[in-house]
Amino acid sequence: MNYCVDIRNYCLDLLGAQDETHMEWLSAICAAAEQELRARLRSEVDVSDISETFIIAGSLLSISMMRQLDDPGLADFTAATVKLTFSEDRSQLAQAAYRMIEPWCTDAFAFRGVSS
């Protein structure tokens, strides 16, 4: 079963009455988020068994992707001393999505980021 429409509808609920920036791309973004999450799942996992969690995770990942369209560049980057700083909001949404489906993923280890 395809959950793109459910993910899109949940995204719209979460976003509320916001401007229409990138909304025309929302269906494509939701489809990409669904495929990314499906690719992480173990082969024996039936998405219909975890549909509610999957839809919420897909929505969070979709919103994270949409926000990246607003600011696709790095917030900071220094090569000499290796200083990387990114927007916390986007990465936290994506990390939350990945953590939600982690019990059903192929790999128990997930890179969560680096902080100082």
Side-chain angles (χ1 to χ4, degrees):
M1 180 175 179
N2 184 329
Y3 289 92
C4 184
V5 172
D6 295 320
I7 291 170
R8 184 182 190 282
N9 289 339
Y10 200 82
C11 276
L12 292 172
D13 287 344
L14 291 173
L15 292 170
Q18 294 191 359
D19 64 59
E20 295 297 314
T21 307
H22 308 306
M23 284 300 197
E24 68 274 9
W25 299 338
L26 184 58
S27 292
I29 290 169
C30 291
E34 178 180 2
Q35 291 305 309
E36 183 173 337
L37 293 178
R38 280 183 185 271
R40 291 173 177 265
L41 297 176
R42 293 189 308 270
S43 60
E44 70 270 11
V45 174
D46 185 350
V47 177
S48 65
D49 293 337
I50 60 165
S51 61
E52 187 175 328
T53 300
F54 189 83
I55 291 166
I56 295 169
S59 300
L60 293 176
L61 186 57
S62 297
I63 292 169
S64 174
M65 291 173 165
M66 281 185 63
R67 289 187 176 170
Q68 191 169 0
L69 291 173
D70 291 330
D71 182 21
L74 296 175
D76 262 322
F77 184 82
T78 306
T81 60
V82 190
K83 173 192 172 191
L84 300 174
T85 307
F86 301 97
S87 172
E88 288 295 319
D89 189 40
R90 285 192 315 254
S91 64
Q92 286 179 354
L93 284 173
Q95 286 176 12
Y98 298 139
R99 277 193 307 272
M100 289 181 79
I101 66 161
E102 190 173 42
W104 301 280
C105 288
T106 57
D107 199 354
F109 172 80
F111 180 74
R112 302 234 172 133
V114 177
S115 62
S116 56

